[in-house]
Amino acid sequence: MKDMTETLLRVDDLRTHFHTFAGTVKAVDGVSFSLAKGEIMGLVGESGGGKSVVGFSILGLIDSPGRIESGQILFDGEDLAKASEDRMHKIRGKEIAMIFQDPMTSLNPLHPIGRQMDEMLRLHTDLDARGRRARCIRMLEDVGISQAEDRLDSYPHQFSGGMRQRVVIAIAMLAEPRLIVADEPTTALDVTIQAQILKLIRRQVREHGASMILVTHDLAVVAEMADHITVLYCGKVVERGPTRQVIDDPRHPYTAGLIASIPDPSDRKHRLDQIPGAVPDIRKLPRGCNFRDRCPRAQALCAEREPDLETQEPGRSAACHFPVEGGGT
Amino acid sequence: MTAMLEVEKLEQKFDVSGGLLDRLSFSGGRILSPRRVVQAVNGVSFDVQQGEVLALVGESGCGKSTVAKTIARIHNPTGGTIRIDGQEVQGLSDRELLPVRSKMQMIFQDPYASLNPRQRVRDIVAEPLLEQTGNRAEARDKTEALLARVGLNAEHAGRYPHQFSGGQRQRIGIARALSVNPRLIIADEPVSALDVSIQAQILNLMMDLRDEFGLAYLFISHDLSVVHHIADRVAVMYLGFMVETAPRDTLFAMPRHPYTRALLSAAPTLDPAKKARQIELTGEVPSALSLPSGCCFRTRCPFAWDRCAAERPALRDTGDGQQVACHLIDEPERDKP
Amino acid sequence: MMTAFFASEFFANWRRNGSAIAGSVILVIFAVIVVFGPWLVWQDPYDVAGLDLMDSYKPPAWLPGGDPRFPLGTDGQGRDVLAAIIYGTRISVLIGVSAMICSLVIGTFVGLVAGYFRGRLDGLIMRIADIQLSFPSMLIALFLMSAFGTGIDKVLIALTAVGWVVYARTVRGQTLSESGREYVQAARVAGLRNAKIIRRHILPNVTTPLIVVATVQVGTFILIEASLSFLGVGVPITQPSLGLLIKNGFDVLFSGLWWVSVFPGLFIMALVFGINLFGDFLRDELNPRLK
């Protein structure tokens, strides 16, 4: 994905905060990135990193006590952060589709899946009844569901977990959206099923020329799927870059720590490298760099000033005063 | 070496048919009340030596957690033998089991559900020891020492679980298991609910404790990279059967059962280029309510032929401590895609 | 301890919730009446020697013919209606609260046993509960009272017989879900016996939803008791509750002597209203699903 390709989505200094009794949770605090047409971007981080909230913000699904405080979400030139709920309703499903970890959040347990697919098409296309039905059957076959015509009358609970996620993918792809936000789409699935679903998602996205934001905690999944990686820590982007480069040669100590703490079968050590401590309470973040208490490279400057996301080399950036030198691993 | 744990032909069935009224169904003009039995574990045998880490691997529903919980006697086994440190325990009553529990403890999967939210940390950690000895002073000293050992401090002892992060809670769970000086620890997916950076901390702690106390672990996991890091030997389960067991390096370098091979090739890795040859599975795991005839894996196996439906393969030695339950061992010429 | 309470989210929400405050104020007033009742009145309404028939059926103090000694008027025996209400409130609240406690204890015990051990016993207990819930509780209480005869103790038995079911069902459901959780399994691995597991691990974790049920049930019990007494099968005439006061005044209601029964009625209404307002607030606060 070159820089010259057309940008589909640009998120600019997005801040989404949650105002709870115990204090303001700055779940997303100044996140910026852009996504080219046809690109798959992995949005990576641990729990509390704010990665899901970014996805929900793009879809306009932030409910009270949460609020988008500032920033822009430019989707094809239109600022979704300021779009009305009516407008978002038209965009969701048609322009931007979503795939969640739990397929049952997007499936209605009371309706057969055929009806749910049909509704989607009625809302977003002007096909007639027969055309819609044909499209649904083709879509189900496309995601690997056999006897698709009969399965249209099945209810979600009649499918297994993996099959349900296939149905969700089929529904998500029906209206040919230009952007797909997939939030931990395979975390609830077994490894062998995960492999099938990842392959399916990738094929669908590529075939339809869509872009995708893949939200996940699993670096290995991102390594297999994404073109670019954006790493979040405590609501801020700490590193961005092309997938292979970031994984082979991470610049931010947090990214480096994450990668090192995954056991590597080809290089077995007695002790794993670990990041000490735990993610700080996001309501009481330290001054300066959020990662400094856990960082092996931290110095006095890190406690004073928060590092900005700086471009290290074309296409790569990291938010660190003392980035890991290139060619490290 | 002597065996800390020996399991022979362990079977676990759960009757899920419910009460008489729930069971009634109407079919073919007759009222029936069929029993529905989940065959969770179907004759599994293995052993864990002193100081050894045996990893039990498989996907959800393969029965690995049931095996763990049956050995820990959270469930009572429906068949087979369990010997802990040479003593048969499957028929023992709760009272007779108490001394056995000082040799065997358990670490649980969910750090949020495995600690009683209404108990203070010191009471949680001391509970198993107090059941054994009833000596409060000793339990208090021991609790403090254990909390320090797992990386928490004395002031944490008076707090409640909700004041801790997931990783810290798992440390509390480990301290609780260690309080009676066990020699065998059953760890049921102990790191799968934790963030990656915390996973490494807990795995390191568990390995340090093993070296320090000579612990044996029965380590249940679905995560192959974790298993590769921690295990001495690996046993692979599918649908309540054991399909392959081997020393770690043998299993990862030369997996023989098609399911093991598929599992290894399906796991995502940081470096997809280095991936082993792919075996891709289609379809999904059959229901444990009605097992397939013959080999449990044949419905998804790319190599299956008629013999697999007719005859259930037994676990057989193939040398180097590797055991495989697959007809391909007899007919290697069929091992082609 | 107190400062922690005032800094808590519970207290902050309470302060912002008008109906919760109103409910609490009403409950505090009634608590004062119940605790200090005998010192709030100048006349013991059931000391016949202190009554004067010359004072009978005086209207409330602000009406023509009213007497400032009797702010809410008097009944046929010259008894101060306010004093009778204060004594009656004590009896009504005493019955409501005691019956709630009996139901709570018995229902919780039954629910714990049924939910933890499951099996046949569980099936049997829950079928009894289902059958009982398919009759109106008023009808069951009425039937029991006609069998037992009147008396505070008998009202308590009848109300408990009606009330235990709701606790048993709630506790059983909670116990079923809690006993599958890992901390209960951990207790088994630690070697604890069932009784100890139930007492130390399950009981503390199933009680929160009971607080709401118990609060609202006190109101329900006060109403049932009032109805029973109004029908003449409740408390004896020597220990009149609010319900019995209404009945006593009811006979003369249509001769224009309305105050004898209307004021006790208003008090019952205010009391149950206060309980329900507060109960609703507790329900919202203690239900984690709404948060």
Side-chain angles (χ1 to χ4, degrees), chain A residues 43-56 184 215-217 232:
Chain A
L43 198 56
V44 188
E46 296 181 291
S47 45
K51 52 190 193 305
S52 291
V53 181
V54 171
F56 283 120
E184 305 269 9
V215 177
T216 180
H217 71 283
L232 291 180

Side-chain angles (χ1 to χ4, degrees), chain B residues 253 255 261 265 275-279 335:
Chain B
R261 282 148 65 183
S265 67
K275 236 181 185 168
R277 54 186 200 270
Q278 300 264 341
I279 285 197
D335 191 350

Side-chain angles (χ1 to χ4, degrees), chain C residues 37-50:
Chain C
W39 293 282
L40 295 178
V41 296
W42 63 274
Q43 176 202 54
D44 179 351
Y46 299 102
D47 178 10
V48 185

Side-chain angles (χ1 to χ4, degrees), chain B residues 69 72-74 94-95 98 101 105-106 108-110 113-119 127-128 131 176, chain C residues 127 178 181-194 196 200-202 204-205 207-208:
Chain B
K69 289 183 173 167
R73 281 295 297 273
I74 291 166
D94 282 352
R95 191 189 297 265
L98 194 58
R101 295 204 183 278
Q105 280 291 307
M106 183 155 174
F108 292 85
Q109 171 173 11
D110 182 351
S114 63
L115 307 179
N116 182 347
R118 307 277 165 137
Q119 262 186 319
E127 191 159 66
E131 260 342 276
R176 166 173 64 192
Chain C
R127 289 304 84 75
E178 290 297 319
R181 312 230 327 159
E182 285 187 338
Y183 70 84
V184 176
Q185 300 183 344
R188 292 205 65 180
V189 175
L192 270 69
R193 303 283 194 67
N194 290 331
K196 211 166 177 179
R200 193 184 288 172
H201 291 283
I202 295 184
N205 286 295
T207 46
T208 312

